[in-house]
Amino acid sequence: MAGDTITILDIAREAGVSAATVSRVLGDHPNVSQKTYQAVRRVIDKYNFKPNSMARGLLSRSSRTMGIILPSITHPYYASIFSAAQEEAGSNGFVVQIYRLPYNIRISDAFVDQLIERRLDGVLFSGGFVEPKSPEELPAVLGRLKQYMPIVTVCPPIPGLSCISIYTDLALGMRKAVRHLATLGHRRIAFLGATDETRSVGDREAGFFDEMRALSLSPLIQPEKTHTPQTGEMAVLKLLSGLPRMEWPTALIVVNDLMALGVLRQLSKMGLTLPDDMAVVGCDNQFFSAYTHPPLTTLEVNTDEHGRVAMQQLLQATRQDIPPFIQVREPTLIVRESCGAGKRPGI
Amino acid sequence: MAGDTITILDIAREAGVSAATVSRVLGDHPNVSQKTYQAVRRVIDKYNFKPNSMARGLLSRSSRTMGIILPSITHPYYASIFSAAQEEAGSNGFVVQIYRLPYNIRISDAFVDQLIERRLDGVLFSGGFVEPKSPEELPAVLGRLKQYMPIVTVCPPIPGLSCISIYTDLALGMRKAVRHLATLGHRRIAFLGATDETRSVGDREAGFFDEMRALSLSPLIQPEKTHTPQTGEMAVLKLLSGLPRMEWPTALIVVNDLMALGVLRQLSKMGLTLPDDMAVVGCDNQFFSAYTHPPLTTLEVNTDEHGRVAMQQLLQATRQDIPPFIQVREPTLIVRESCGAGKRPGI
DNA sequence: TTTTCAATTGAAAACGTTTTCAAATTCATT
DNA sequence: AATGAATTTGAAAACGTTTTCAATTGAAAA
């Protein structure tokens, strides 16, 4: 397996120069003569020599590696952030390592210790996770990490932690969704997947409430701890079975498209026709959202862009100190067929 | 940012011992006295000292890092393999780095050089990518990589490369799908997404042909270079518009569930009712496949299991040489509602 | 008290690079 | 041919650990 690892000294010996010279050739340093350069290059190529990046990193104090902390890899929302960040890092000679912090697991010192030990050059953090027991825990742990490497969050800023943050204002997004439904005549609108335990979801919930209040509509909510298709099915069942038919909402806003998948399915199982019997709006505009039945009206979050820009900033931050800032992006409402004009205007 | 990096020597000095002793405390070596152990531990904790993993790795010749080569991160098939592999690696103190080799991009020496430079401890390879110009290219490049680290493929074995391979026999899967449809009375069955350019897809195609032949049915195929929802829509359009209604297939087998998403949508746009007017079978059993309209009959591939087992083997291989072997898994046909008995038996 | 042996400790070498600094070489100028 | 400057080169130190081996300590046995 491990071939006789060949080092810079072996190359130097064979080329009849010193290790320093080989190092200079490797780094394309200007002051090495044409003749030596070519001779050394030849030997390097002959043995297919690749310098050990750990030895390099030890000296340069840089691993050329970025970390990314995410609750999930398979969730298309995070997969997309990750993918874009990885691509941006890759084209700058960096590699990215994923550190998974599942939902409902509190961040611990031991968790960030891993990143510190590996001497990462920076870290991208994207939340959506459940708030730790005390509100100071998250900023405290990340604050410690920040003493070692720059941090960029791809989620709303964390109170008590000052760093670059890039996110989409989903409170605004939800207000847009409510307004859109109201324009279509809906009065009884429910929010599925509410929970104040998750930070970014809290935003969406707040936006929903705000706009409902602004329109003098009374908000209906169905809280759920998780936001999977399965949860979506359950949520619909719980919400509707708890209400006399007369009081059913005519429109549902679902906390994300993944959960909306289950919502659509359950409504269809109950024999409701969409959008006539019920309008549905999701959030995130996933790859599958244009292919649901009916195609889902949703909020575009542009996770690719988030991941890319966040990584750019992180790379920048490793080169020079940049002062913290917050970049808020505005979501667009993608209107498809799942929210057609309500046939039964409320009240 | 980069705090005054504190080293093992600083700890040693403050604790009044040698660096060797601190190292022993760090590694929980047996022969260090209770008294010294505790004194050193105290200083370590006081400064929150974390040993530099690059220095460690330099000496131990191990980065405690695995690589994974995949065509895509966002594709749920690969995301799932990656996620499981990452989890397994993580619980063994390893971290995994992703190296993306997009579809249609040929693997190059420069590509694997990255992994060699970083002195990864092993690499998981999952293909599905387009075959390189010459069939020797892929085994040649990977063969070189294999001189540096063990490789496990999470795809059918690559001719000319001997290593551990774990995969699901999708040729068999497709035969099951064909047989199932035939049992339901279908005679005209089409395969959507055929192309002999992609290795694993080639398998599926071959299985389809084999079983059709065995049943004396004449195979219909619609080749496509990519397998996205968009392709699915196009494929249906192209296939059906090229055929008089009388000769339309009554069942479609789609190369994967992602593409099936588009197939279902297009059929629905054309006003066909599923499964009465057309049966559809997919492949992969993605998280969304139970939530399509109608829920999709598909082949279970169990990517999680693949990723987990492959990583276990890879970890094993870093500890001791294990002889190459091939683990073939049998896919299960998950029967849902998209393939109900055909109402219009063929011919 | 001396001897013997095991347990504990530290000095130094090693891992494979890059960088600094001084020495050696080349080259142009007088 | 001698001088000086500019270019090219190598020796050695540094990066932060772990491990080996010999030295020291302490305790038990004589």
Side-chain angles (χ1 to χ4, degrees):
Chain A
M1 199 70 51
D4 23 58
T5 326
I6 153 165
T7 77
I8 206 171
L9 280 169
D10 301 319
I11 302 295
R13 197 171 312 119
E14 173 131 354
V17 297
S18 74
T21 301
V22 178
S23 174
R24 278 187 274 255
V25 171
L26 247 21
D28 279 332
H29 263 254
N31 35 355
V32 44
S33 75
Q34 273 293 320
K35 205 161 74 81
T36 350
Y37 183 91
Q38 291 181 342
V40 172
R41 219 0 118 206
R42 201 161 16 247
V43 183
I44 289 175
D45 291 343
K46 173 176 170 194
Y47 291 100
N48 224 296
F49 168 70
K50 302 293 160 208
N52 183 324
S53 73
M54 287 187 291
R56 278 186 151 166
L58 184 56
L59 205 48
S60 68
R61 300 175 147 77
S62 156
S63 56
R64 295 193 79 72
T65 302
M66 297 295 188
I68 181 165
I69 302 180
L70 297 177
S72 161
I73 297 173
T74 50
H75 193 304
Y77 179 87
Y78 296 107
S80 165
I81 293 177
F82 178 41
S83 179
Q86 190 270 340
E87 183 159 18
E88 185 65 28
S91 57
N92 282 276
F94 278 72
V95 99
V96 5
Q97 290 177 353
I98 194 158
Y99 291 83
R100 198 164 9 161
L101 183 63
Y103 291 110
N104 294 317
I105 300 291
R106 293 166 57 192
I107 195 167
S108 68
D109 279 317
F111 184 86
V112 302
D113 281 352
Q114 302 175 75
L115 318 216
I116 297 172
E117 282 198 32
R118 289 192 178 259
R119 301 294 191 267
L120 300 192
D121 291 331
V123 61
L124 240 53
F125 178 93
S126 191
F129 52 88
V130 168
E131 191 71 71
K133 278 291 171 291
S134 73
E136 308 87 41
E137 189 176 81
L138 184 62
V141 176
L142 289 184
R144 186 166 79 85
L145 182 58
K146 191 165 175 281
Q147 298 179 323
Y148 295 87
M149 61 193 75
I151 300 182
V152 173
T153 76
V154 194
C155 60
I158 296 161
L161 180 76
S162 145
C163 63
I164 300 174
S165 292
I166 295 166
Y167 74 105
T168 291
D169 184 355
L170 289 175
L172 172 58
M174 284 300 154
R175 290 205 300 275
K176 286 189 180 185
V178 170
R179 227 172 298 146
H180 179 71
L181 290 169
T183 306
L184 293 175
H186 294 276
R187 314 293 297 163
R188 290 192 305 277
I189 306 172
F191 185 85
L192 273 59
T195 157
D196 48 19
E197 285 191 352
T198 310
R199 289 164 4 90
S200 64
V201 172
D203 280 0
R204 296 177 225 187
E205 203 176 334
F208 170 75
F209 276 115
D210 287 352
E211 191 64 24
M212 289 295 279
R213 200 170 303 126
L215 297 173
S216 312
L217 300 178
S218 49
L220 249 68
I221 64 162
Q222 176 61 43
E224 294 293 343
K225 288 218 180 296
T226 61
H227 304 117
T228 62
Q230 291 78 11
T231 326
E233 292 184 276
M234 295 304 302
V236 169
L237 216 50
K238 283 190 276 184
L239 178 71
L240 298 189
S241 66
L243 250 34
R245 183 98 189 196
M246 286 298 299
E247 292 174 25
W248 277 15
T250 60
L252 306 177
I253 297 180
V254 191
V255 75
N256 70 29
D257 287 359
L258 198 59
M259 182 166 165
L261 232 34
V263 168
L264 295 179
R265 172 104 196 94
Q266 183 60 39
L267 292 172
S268 152
K269 272 197 286 193
M270 292 171 75
L272 300 181
T273 308
L274 274 54
D276 295 350
D277 295 335
M278 187 74 78
V280 176
V281 176
C283 180
D284 289 350
N285 192 27
Q286 297 297 354
F287 66 85
F288 53 79
S289 304
Y291 294 93
T292 56
H293 182 79
L296 190 63
T297 290
T298 188
L299 289 160
E300 170 72 53
V301 170
N302 217 336
T303 40
D304 270 6
E305 180 81 359
H306 283 44
R308 204 169 51 74
V309 172
M311 182 54 76
Q312 278 168 357
Q313 294 300 334
L314 191 57
L315 288 163
Q316 190 63 25
T318 61
R319 287 187 280 263
Q320 60 189 274
D321 251 24
I322 42 181
F325 66 88
I326 298 174
Q327 195 177 107
V328 186
R329 291 167 168 256
E330 185 165 335
T332 325
L333 186 71
I334 312 270
V335 179
R336 296 207 181 92
E337 302 166 29
S338 68
C339 64
K343 286 290 153 56
R344 303 186 278 119
I347 308 286
Chain B
M1 200 71 50
D4 23 56
T5 326
I6 153 163
T7 78
I8 206 172
L9 280 169
D10 301 318
I11 302 295
R13 196 171 313 118
E14 173 132 353
V17 296
S18 72
T21 301
V22 178
S23 174
R24 277 187 275 256
V25 170
L26 247 22
D28 278 332
H29 263 256
N31 33 357
V32 42
S33 75
Q34 272 293 322
K35 205 161 72 82
T36 354
Y37 183 91
Q38 292 180 341
V40 172
R41 217 3 115 205
R42 200 160 17 246
V43 183
I44 290 176
D45 290 343
K46 172 175 170 193
Y47 291 101
N48 224 297
F49 168 70
K50 300 296 159 205
N52 183 323
S53 74
M54 287 185 290
R56 279 185 150 166
L58 183 56
L59 205 48
S60 67
R61 299 176 146 78
S62 156
S63 57
R64 295 193 79 71
T65 302
M66 298 295 188
I68 182 165
I69 303 179
L70 297 176
S72 160
I73 296 173
T74 50
H75 192 303
Y77 179 87
Y78 295 107
S80 165
I81 293 177
F82 178 41
S83 179
Q86 190 270 338
E87 183 159 18
E88 185 65 29
S91 58
N92 283 276
F94 278 71
V95 98
V96 5
Q97 290 177 353
I98 194 157
Y99 291 84
R100 196 160 16 157
L101 184 63
Y103 291 111
N104 295 317
I105 300 291
R106 292 166 59 192
I107 195 167
S108 68
D109 280 316
F111 184 85
V112 302
D113 281 352
Q114 303 174 75
L115 317 217
I116 298 172
E117 283 198 33
R118 289 193 179 258
R119 301 294 191 269
L120 301 193
D121 291 331
V123 60
L124 240 53
F125 177 93
S126 190
F129 52 89
V130 168
E131 192 70 74
K133 279 290 171 293
S134 73
E136 308 87 42
E137 189 177 79
L138 184 61
V141 176
L142 290 183
R144 185 165 80 84
L145 182 58
K146 190 166 174 282
Q147 297 177 326
Y148 295 87
M149 61 193 75
I151 300 181
V152 173
T153 76
V154 194
C155 60
I158 296 160
L161 179 75
S162 145
C163 63
I164 300 176
S165 292
I166 295 167
Y167 74 105
T168 291
D169 184 355
L170 288 175
L172 171 57
M174 284 300 154
R175 291 205 301 275
K176 285 188 180 185
V178 171
R179 227 173 298 145
H180 178 72
L181 289 169
T183 307
L184 293 176
H186 293 277
R187 313 294 297 163
R188 291 192 306 275
I189 306 173
F191 184 86
L192 271 60
T195 159
D196 48 19
E197 285 189 355
T198 311
R199 289 163 5 88
S200 64
V201 172
D203 280 0
R204 296 176 223 188
E205 201 175 335
F208 169 76
F209 277 117
D210 287 352
E211 190 64 24
M212 289 296 278
R213 201 170 301 125
L215 297 173
S216 310
L217 300 177
S218 48
L220 249 69
I221 64 161
Q222 176 62 42
E224 294 294 342
K225 289 216 181 296
T226 61
H227 304 117
T228 62
Q230 290 78 8
T231 327
E233 293 185 274
M234 295 305 301
V236 169
L237 216 50
K238 284 191 275 184
L239 178 71
L240 299 188
S241 66
L243 251 32
R245 183 97 191 198
M246 289 294 301
E247 292 174 25
W248 277 15
T250 61
L252 306 176
I253 296 179
V254 191
V255 76
N256 69 30
D257 287 359
L258 198 60
M259 182 167 165
L261 232 34
V263 168
L264 295 180
R265 172 105 195 93
Q266 183 61 39
L267 292 172
S268 151
K269 272 197 285 194
M270 292 171 75
L272 299 181
T273 308
L274 274 55
D276 295 351
D277 295 336
M278 187 73 78
V280 176
V281 176
C283 181
D284 289 349
N285 193 28
Q286 297 296 354
F287 66 85
F288 53 79
S289 305
Y291 295 93
T292 56
H293 182 79
L296 190 63
T297 290
T298 188
L299 289 160
E300 170 71 55
V301 170
N302 217 336
T303 40
D304 270 5
E305 180 81 359
H306 284 44
R308 203 169 51 74
V309 173
M311 183 52 77
Q312 278 168 358
Q313 293 300 336
L314 191 57
L315 288 163
Q316 190 62 23
T318 60
R319 287 187 279 264
Q320 60 190 274
D321 251 25
I322 44 182
F325 66 89
I326 298 173
Q327 194 178 108
V328 187
R329 292 167 168 257
E330 186 164 333
T332 326
L333 186 71
I334 312 270
V335 179
R336 296 205 184 92
E337 302 165 29
S338 68
C339 65
K343 286 291 152 55
R344 304 185 279 117
I347 307 285

